[in-house]
Amino acid sequence: MFQSNKKKKSFFSQLFGSDTSENRFTVKELGLLHQVLDANANVHEGNKDIVVEALRSIAELMIWGDQHDPSFFEFFAEHHTLSYFRRILDQPYCRSGEVAVQILQTLSILTQNIQSEQAIYFLFSNNHVNQIIAQDFNFKDDEVLGYYISFLKTISLKLNAGTVQFFFLKRRLAEGSDEMRVEFPFYSRIIQFFRHEESMVRAAVRTCTLNIYSVKDAGVREFLQNSREASEYIQNLGKYVMEQCQALAVILPATRQGTIDPKRLDVALEELDDIFYYCYDVYSLFEEGVGEKLMCVLWKDLHSVVLEPFRVKAGGDREQTPTAGGDEGHTLGSCRLTVSLLILERLFHILHIPGLLNATIASLFLPKTKALKLAPLIWTADVDAFSASSAGGADSWYSAWPVFRRCVEDETKHVESTLCVRFLTKCIKSKCLSEDVMDEAGLLPRRLKTSRMLFNELTSIDSDPSTGASSTGRVASSKKKGHRRAHSSEEIASMQLFPTDQGGQVAEAGDGEDIDSVARKMEDCGVDEGRGGVAKEDEDEEAPYLMFANLISEPFRVDLVNLVGWMLSQWLPLDSLSRNSSSGTKASAEENREVVFSPRKGDAQGGRTVPEALARVLDKQMKDCVAELRVHLHQSWCDGLPLLVSRAWRRNKRHLISPQVSMNAVETAAFLLRDHSVNKLSRAPKGSPGMNTAIAAARQGNEAVNAFVAMAQLKIWIETGDMPNDPSAFFGLQRGLFSLDEPVGLVPHDRRPLPVSDGSEVNLDSINLIGQDGGKAIGGQAPIVAGALPCRVAFTRGAERNVYFCSDGRHALSSVKQKTGQRELGSVCIFLADANESVSSSSSRTFAKVVAMAPLAGAEPAIDPTHPAWLHLRVRPPLSAFTAVCGMMNASQSFGQPNIKGKRPKLNDGRWTLAFEDAESARKAEEMIHRQREQLRANAEDLLCNFAAS
């Protein structure tokens, strides 16, 4: 490097330091640096370091001068410093290595840090920057490539309607010709790297092009619309998207087989998402012209890859081989369907391009003639192939419902069936799809369908008898004006369902024909072809979307059940109509009309009409979930499960009412690679309750609660169209007596045990057991009454202590936490109290200090077989630890799957060994625990009494 005998300060220490004895930031110093460049015009190995240091110093001085002294820029402009840079780069030796890196770095620093508009204009003028951009650098050098791309990105950030003019060049098409050709070297050079293997380079290219597309200038838009380079870039962009889809079809099966690193799948999915986001940004910035070209290119390149698994022959059979020119690169192998569904889901999640999405939906769900009519973009794919196939009679098209049905019916295709649901959910949520296309495809939500029917009713049927004119006359006049279109099948069905009064019969269909004859003619003409089975009421029981009801059954997946429930709720009828009403009066018609167009009122009057097939699935799965939860209510966490129900109700309601279906690349890859064959509810061992460890019982109980809540909410929402915030009413609970938010609420207020906490003192003479005043008998035996039982316990080796064993306590807030206002969950508990440590005992009352507590619901007693006076107790952690662990389990769920990178929850079981005075006392203590624990578990099971008949 350029060295000096005197040690120099760093740039920042010179810039901000207080020592002014040696001020380098002067115009004189800048002149000396110019002399260095002039003296070393021919750069070689011997003077390379001197030139590099001079270039770096020039950048430092120019940045300082731009902020402090305008004379620096005047000197820079007067001496044409950029011409020095260009002359250096004209030498092949300087296009790689340190010299090229330093020049590119200097130019990047100048462009990025100079704030003066005049300086920016001068920097871009005189065509020096264009010539530097056009230099043939050694891009095999990663450092040179990195600084070159950074330089171009810095320039793109400075582009506006004024500065962009410096990057346009006009050249004659031929010598002597007056015609001029416009060139844009900056754009032409940057797009050469859009396929580069480095992701950072590709990201920089996309940033640069987006900055160009965002410039509001007529010349830029003219170039991007009409130039050959811009058109070729759009074409190559579409091919690159198709190649990424094909690469994903190769990487996915190889990753599943373990032949390549799973991270390759993450990278492929991230690149696919990035290129989709980029395409949408291009379309949004330049919708007319470039955006339309991009839409056509994407459809032409993607439809043959994405839609191919859905192709069927004219007879309805699915084609087994793709028709994409016979090229194996276009086939998706064994994972074609999975990849197609995944791309469709990402397409509708990211690429909000109306024309492209409408063409996709029309192709998948409509017959060819209707699809071509409603989505003209389909014609741009391959008009010649379409014409040839139609003329030859061997026509084929796409059909999504048969493919969806195969995925749903095959239990091994969990990934595919989930992707089908996610794709349809995206379709329903999309704001870009045409309602006409959605309606014809049978995907339009019933509420929107009802709104359209209401609008057609208000605009096409005369409801004002005061005018005295006939409906036929008005409709005829409207037809002459061109404001009246032919009735759709939905409108005809609506007019049949809601006839007007006798004085104004609907004869507007034409020439005095009645509605039935017009409807028959329209059906004969195939008006309802391909509507998906949701347009008519008599087809509700066979609507194709009802196939997804099978996904509610085992293996039960809460995330998928919520998606299916939300999707079905969008398509199911809004109310319970009287379909076969014998009354044809005007009042009956008005009442039905009010029910149809006032869904809330219809719901209040009797709920929604649920197809029989769906009702059977809901009832069966509800019974299974209740049975599963009832098993866990007889285990160690029975007092905590009602609390989980209350919390899960609020949490799951958000997921059901407003499902979130977006996943990033890492989550998607984990979902695709996970083994779903064992993803079933973990059935607890019914014959041996309590044999699970605390963490296993907590995990299984949490799964059972989530499944029960999801199924209960789905059934309620499907049947009533409403979802309450508080689940208490559905469990037969009365506020003030029971509460799902309080674990000890399983016990009535007047029978609740003594509140105790660690370190508190209790009066042993006042302890009463649950059921003392004639409580519920267990197993035909009367409840026992007992008090504290003396025993010995040792929590550390060799340190026995005499304590009293009590089984009728209630875990309460400690005095410290009461002062801080913190809430601690309470539950019925057993506890040990030491009378020797009490300071409140007297001759008339016996007090003891609580030294240990454990929840009653999780206590598992067992008498030692060799020492009958010893009682072994396996105790579980407190309820607060249980709810914290369940919260961690639920928080680590990513679309129903555990996050392996999350913190692993822990619950450690404890053990007590109590030595009583004799075997009878030990047996009595065991019986106390058994009876009170069974009473508590029975109270918990009573919460499900309303669901017993479900």
Side-chain angles (χ1 to χ4, degrees), residues 303-411:
H303 88 281
S304 60
V305 176
V306 179
L307 303 184
E308 196 61 36
F310 302 94
R311 184 180 291 274
V312 294
K313 298 179 181 179
D317 298 331
R318 181 185 175 188
E319 293 189 358
Q320 300 297 326
T321 57
T323 58
D327 187 2
E328 294 183 0
H330 289 259
T331 63
L332 299 178
S334 59
C335 293
R336 284 169 53 237
L337 178 58
T338 304
V339 173
S340 296
L341 291 170
L342 177 62
I343 295 173
L344 285 173
E345 191 267 336
R346 305 314 293 167
L347 196 70
F348 278 74
H349 176 63
I350 300 172
L351 270 174
H352 303 298
I353 302 178
L356 180 63
L357 301 188
N358 284 323
T360 303
I361 291 297
S363 299
L364 288 174
F365 295 97
L366 296 181
K368 180 181 290 187
T369 53
K370 281 191 175 181
L372 294 172
K373 180 180 179 181
L374 293 177
L377 180 64
I378 300 177
W379 285 93
T380 63
D382 195 350
V383 180
D384 297 334
F386 167 73
S387 302
S389 63
S390 299
D395 195 10
S396 63
W397 195 238
Y398 310 101
S399 181
W401 291 119
V403 177
F404 291 169
R405 185 176 297 278
R406 283 193 293 270
C407 293
V408 171
E409 294 176 351
D410 191 347
E411 294 184 358

Side-chain angles (χ1 to χ4, degrees), residues 223-293:
F223 175 84
L224 295 176
Q225 288 181 3
N226 302 322
S227 67
R228 178 179 56 83
E229 295 93 334
S231 299
E232 289 180 352
Y233 175 66
I234 296 300
Q235 295 289 337
N236 292 331
L237 182 59
K239 293 179 181 178
Y240 182 75
V241 173
M242 181 180 66
E243 291 171 1
Q244 294 304 308
C245 297
Q246 294 172 344
L248 185 61
V250 176
I251 294 174
L252 179 58
T255 307
R256 287 178 171 177
Q257 296 171 3
T259 57
I260 62 174
D261 190 351
K263 292 183 179 179
R264 289 278 302 277
L265 182 60
D266 295 350
V267 173
L269 291 171
E270 287 177 355
E271 180 63 18
L272 184 64
D273 282 0
D274 290 344
I275 197 65
F276 277 169
Y277 278 115
Y278 173 69
C279 291
Y280 177 64
D281 290 339
V282 172
Y283 180 84
S284 301
L285 291 172
F286 210 155
E287 184 172 343
E288 296 181 0
V290 174
E292 294 174 349
K293 288 182 181 179

Side-chain angles (χ1 to χ4, degrees), residues 611-843:
E612 184 178 353
L614 177 59
R616 287 197 302 267
V617 174
L618 293 176
D619 293 340
K620 178 182 180 302
Q621 192 59 34
M622 189 72 251
K623 290 180 180 179
D624 293 342
C625 290
V626 170
E628 179 71 16
L629 184 60
R630 182 172 281 114
V631 171
H632 290 280
L633 287 175
H634 282 278
Q635 295 194 6
S636 58
W637 295 107
C638 68
D639 56 339
L641 295 184
L643 176 63
L644 290 187
V645 170
S646 179
R647 294 186 176 183
W649 190 277
R650 294 187 290 267
R651 182 183 65 252
N652 194 78
K653 179 183 177 180
R654 296 193 300 267
H655 298 315
L656 179 61
I657 300 297
S658 180
Q660 300 294 327
V661 292
S662 59
M663 285 193 297
N664 57 36
V666 176
E667 293 172 336
T668 303
F671 169 75
L672 294 174
L673 298 180
R674 188 171 294 110
D675 183 11
H676 301 276
S677 59
V678 296
N679 189 23
K680 298 185 179 182
L681 279 177
S682 301
R683 298 293 182 186
K686 299 181 181 180
S688 56
M691 294 303 294
N692 292 326
T693 61
I695 184 63
R699 182 180 294 108
Q700 296 174 7
N702 185 58
E703 292 177 0
V705 166
N706 289 337
F708 168 77
V709 170
M711 201 61 236
Q713 289 186 343
L714 176 59
K715 194 171 187 296
I716 292 169
W717 197 29
I718 291 295
E719 293 178 351
T720 66
D722 194 13
M723 179 62 63
N725 293 323
D726 183 18
S728 299
F730 295 96
F731 291 91
L733 301 181
Q734 299 178 6
R735 291 192 176 276
L737 181 61
F738 291 99
S739 174
L740 282 176
D741 288 328
E742 188 179 5
V744 82
L746 299 173
V747 183
H749 279 287
D750 56 351
R751 300 180 184 177
R752 291 189 176 180
L754 181 69
V756 294
S757 60
D758 287 326
S760 64
E761 294 191 0
V762 296
N763 184 2
L764 297 179
D765 299 329
S766 63
I767 295 178
N768 295 319
L769 296 178
I770 302 174
Q772 179 180 3
D773 51 346
K776 181 179 179 182
I778 304 297
Q781 301 178 9
I784 65 173
V785 178
L789 294 175
C791 62
R792 299 190 313 275
V793 67
F795 293 109
T796 57
R797 184 181 297 274
E800 288 189 358
R801 58 199 307 178
N802 295 319
V803 296
Y804 287 93
F805 170 75
C806 306
S807 61
D808 55 351
R810 173 192 176 188
H811 190 188
L813 288 173
S814 63
S815 58
V816 176
K817 293 191 176 182
Q818 285 177 349
K819 293 179 181 178
T820 59
Q822 298 180 11
R823 181 187 179 190
E824 184 174 316
L825 300 174
S827 59
V828 182
C829 66
I830 58 176
F831 63 93
L832 301 177
D834 191 347
N836 296 326
E837 296 188 8
S838 173
V839 296
S840 303
S841 297
S842 63
S843 58

Side-chain angles (χ1 to χ4, degrees), residues 51-90:
V51 173
V52 169
E53 181 63 21
L55 292 171
R56 186 190 63 81
S57 300
I58 289 175
E60 294 176 357
L61 295 176
M62 288 304 302
I63 295 172
W64 187 91
D66 181 70
Q67 300 176 5
H68 299 87
D69 190 353
S71 61
F72 278 76
F73 174 73
E74 295 174 0
F75 183 93
F76 187 87
E78 182 180 351
H79 289 78
H80 304 285
T81 307
L82 284 180
S83 63
Y84 287 86
F85 294 177
R86 183 181 56 80
R87 285 200 300 268
I88 293 174
L89 290 176
D90 285 340

